[in-house]
Amino acid sequence: MLNKYKIISKAVRHFSSALYITGDKAMTNFVVLTPVIDFEKQIEHKENLIENIKARQLPIDINAVEEQWNFFQDIEHKKKALEQTRTGISQRMSYLIKQENDFPSSKELDKLKLHLKIVKDDLKHLRTMRYSVEEAAALQVLNLPNVLHPKTPENEELEVYRYLEINDSKTENHLTLGNQKGYFKFLNNFSCYLTSDAALFERSLQNYFNGELVKLNYLQFSNSDLVKSVVVEGCGGNPFAGSDVLTLEDIHCVNKEGLNRLHLVGGSSFYSFMAYFTKHFLQPTHFPIKAFCVGRKYQTVDPSSIQNLFNLNQSSEIGLFRATNNSEVFEHVLEDLLSLYKPLGYHFRVALLPANKLNIAESLRISIQMFSNHLQTYIEVGYVSFYEDFISKRLLLNWNQNGVRKFSYLTGGSLVNIHKVIGCVVENNSLDSKPLINAFLSKYVF
């Protein structure tokens, strides 16, 4: 699929945001939604916010953000005062016009006309300035990070579970071993084809996780491979310069200069789930929503990274999505992950990533890791992130409770990256000359 379109790995754009569009840009760009901004609530706990920013090592000056926001609020108050003055003058003029043959009223009317012109000019200039101030203030607030989960470590990864003992003997890399076995046809990070037992391994893992997730009352989704910039930005990603998403460059139905470009992310991506649930209104009886998608995931990779199965632009994954009306219980999510991974019979560990490795939307990230015998380090083969109501407020996934608008708490990520699992298993199995597909997975090949 990647060969069908011209892809730009890191899109360079001149617009500020596709998520928050001010009135002047709305004249030429369709406004999908207006995200909920609750800076007043965030700044109530300013010390916690400062600690949060410090722990994540973000280059944000919260005092400058607050100053910019207050400046915008001052302009808003002045605009409202001018609008009220304009309304009052207009009402007074209407009253005087109705008064017949009243010379004093005629003089007052002339004064009011002059006053009204001055007020209208002031409003015009204020509105022109207001758009740039509004955009700067809103985008700085939207760039503030999600609250940190109490279980998120501050500095180092925290291992919370380990399954089976590790054999950390050094091996050849999985590409060399796989080529000897005829498992791969690796051209580059964009093009990697699984063959022979590796293709059957992919199918067996997909069938296994598919069946087990259905037993756990997850609903299977078939998501779109493409999403708009507003969804990427709403999920805390960056669809512009330095992006982690692939952007379609040449496509007839999208304006190159528009705010909302098309991005190739893959159906198993969390972005694709949110493309479906954006501006979604749910009933309380719908919770909890538990969904998964078996498919592809596309992302950018560092051109200087090692070419192997751990650094692919496209991979086979199983995406996970959960929406609830209250904060997820960590232990329940962990229990589901362990029940899915342990029967596979491979060594793995579960770790919590520190704050400085989270993106701004993540409150907590559970990382499932397998050991690479060649690299002598753990590789993340799956993850589940807790987003609380951060993304729901930005993309308006809401519900109603006694007439009060509420926002859903979201959890999701990649349950398993099959290409990364294959890489780790090939290296580990080479120590004992084991077949790629073990007895357990052989039951799920067909």
Side-chain angles (χ1 to χ4, degrees):
M1 182 172 183
L2 289 175
N3 296 325
K4 275 189 174 184
Y5 305 102
K6 182 179 177 183
I7 304 290
I8 38 180
S9 297
K10 296 187 181 296
V12 178
R13 301 289 300 285
H14 303 290
F15 293 108
S16 299
S17 175
L19 179 64
Y20 193 93
I21 300 176
T22 51
D24 54 337
K25 292 188 175 71
M27 301 295 290
T28 54
N29 293 278
F30 176 70
V31 180
V32 178
L33 53 80
T34 301
V36 173
I37 296 179
D38 52 358
F39 183 66
E40 286 78 9
K41 183 178 178 181
Q42 290 174 286
I43 206 65
E44 284 179 4
H45 308 284
K46 186 174 179 179
E47 291 302 319
N48 292 339
L49 186 55
I50 291 173
E51 290 299 317
N52 184 349
I53 292 169
K54 182 179 177 181
R56 293 176 185 262
Q57 299 178 9
L58 297 175
I60 297 176
D61 182 352
I62 190 60
N63 293 322
V65 175
E66 186 177 11
E67 183 180 345
Q68 182 75 36
W69 182 259
N70 290 337
F71 180 47
F72 168 58
Q73 294 302 309
D74 287 342
I75 290 178
E76 280 291 279
H77 295 321
K78 290 176 181 176
K79 183 174 83 69
K80 289 178 181 177
L82 284 172
E83 287 174 340
Q84 290 174 354
T85 301
R86 182 190 60 184
T87 301
I89 293 172
S90 298
Q91 290 174 346
R92 178 61 181 167
M93 287 176 64
S94 297
Y95 171 77
L96 292 176
I97 289 171
K98 293 176 183 179
Q99 307 301 311
E100 298 181 0
N101 303 319
D102 189 339
F103 182 73
S105 295
S106 178
K107 281 188 172 182
E108 184 181 357
L109 190 60
D110 291 338
K111 291 180 181 179
L112 290 174
K113 285 179 180 179
L114 180 60
H115 191 186
L116 182 61
K117 183 180 183 303
I118 294 172
V119 170
K120 285 183 176 180
D121 287 343
D122 287 347
L123 266 174
K124 182 180 178 180
H125 294 310
L126 191 63
R127 282 172 178 160
T128 303
M129 180 183 69
R130 173 185 173 275
Y131 288 133
S132 59
V133 175
E134 175 191 4
E135 184 177 56
L139 295 188
Q140 286 190 52
V141 172
L142 287 171
N143 198 41
L144 293 176
N146 195 358
V147 295
L148 288 174
H149 193 281
K151 290 187 177 293
T152 296
E154 284 191 17
N155 302 310
E156 302 291 336
E157 286 187 6
L158 176 64
E159 183 177 310
V160 294
Y161 187 83
R162 178 181 289 249
Y163 184 67
L164 300 180
E165 292 300 317
I166 181 177
N167 184 342
D168 59 1
S169 301
K170 178 85 171 180
T171 67
E172 289 285 345
N173 69 73
H174 55 265
L175 285 186
T176 301
L177 297 169
N179 286 332
Q180 293 171 359
K181 297 282 188 179
Y183 291 157
F184 319 124
K185 184 179 180 182
F186 186 93
L187 303 180
N188 51 51
N189 287 343
F190 271 100
S191 302
C192 175
Y193 303 94
L194 301 180
T195 59
S196 184
D197 282 357
L200 296 177
F201 185 95
E202 177 186 29
R203 181 175 178 83
S204 62
L205 264 188
Q206 288 175 339
N207 290 341
Y208 164 69
F209 279 108
N210 192 326
E212 293 304 306
L213 286 168
V214 169
K215 290 178 184 176
L216 291 172
N217 298 317
Y218 281 78
L219 179 66
Q220 184 167 10
F221 267 51
S222 179
N223 292 326
S224 169
D225 282 329
L226 301 168
V227 302
K228 289 293 190 74
S229 300
V230 63
V231 174
V232 175
E233 198 174 343
C235 292
N238 175 16
F240 308 129
S243 174
D244 63 342
V245 294
L246 299 168
T247 304
L248 298 188
E249 172 70 358
D250 294 325
I251 184 167
H252 71 281
C253 60
V254 175
N255 177 13
K256 285 186 181 181
E257 301 304 320
L259 287 173
N260 254 330
R261 298 291 295 278
L262 270 179
H263 305 279
L264 181 64
V265 296
S268 65
S269 168
F270 188 79
Y271 294 135
S272 293
F273 280 108
M274 284 313 304
Y276 176 82
F277 283 105
T278 291
K279 293 180 69 176
H280 223 85
F281 183 82
L282 300 171
Q283 296 295 334
T285 54
H286 293 161
F287 295 115
I289 295 173
K290 300 164 67 177
F292 72 97
C293 180
V294 180
R296 308 294 277 182
K297 184 177 179 181
Y298 304 94
Q299 62 266 316
T300 59
V301 296
D302 186 346
S304 63
S305 62
I306 301 172
Q307 293 205 342
N308 56 28
L309 298 189
F310 302 148
N311 300 295
L312 296 178
N313 288 96
Q314 54 175 323
S315 55
S316 181
E317 300 193 12
I318 297 176
L320 209 63
F321 176 88
R322 295 165 65 121
T324 61
N325 56 0
N326 49 45
S327 187
E328 284 270 27
V329 178
F330 167 80
E331 287 73 18
H332 293 169
V333 177
L334 180 61
E335 183 181 347
D336 281 357
L337 294 177
L338 296 181
S339 70
L340 291 167
Y341 267 87
K342 288 167 69 173
L344 296 176
Y346 301 119
H347 164 71
F348 70 91
R349 74 174 188 176
V350 179
L352 304 181
L353 297 193
N356 60 8
K357 291 187 178 180
L358 306 182
N359 68 37
I360 65 166
E362 292 177 309
S363 174
L364 173 72
R365 183 178 177 118
I366 303 174
S367 177
I368 306 128
Q369 304 171 354
M370 296 179 70
F371 190 74
S372 167
N373 293 83
H374 176 71
L375 297 178
Q376 291 290 291
T377 188
Y378 278 94
I379 301 296
E380 183 177 82
V381 299
Y383 71 91
V384 175
S385 297
F386 287 60
Y387 299 105
E388 303 301 321
D389 60 356
F390 183 85
I391 292 177
S392 292
K393 287 181 177 178
R394 294 160 73 98
L395 294 178
L396 307 187
L397 175 51
N398 54 105
W399 58 287
N400 184 285
Q401 183 181 44
N402 300 324
V404 179
R405 189 187 195 190
K406 299 284 187 177
F407 295 92
S408 304
Y409 288 78
L410 303 181
T411 307
S414 172
L415 178 60
V416 59
N417 182 313
I418 295 176
H419 284 79
K420 289 184 178 181
V421 170
I422 290 175
C424 292
V425 172
V426 166
E427 292 178 4
N428 186 261
N429 283 1
S430 68
L431 295 171
D432 302 313
S433 300
K434 294 179 183 177
L436 181 59
I437 303 175
N438 61 23
F440 177 78
L441 282 179
S442 64
K443 298 182 293 185
Y444 295 92
V445 173
F446 301 107

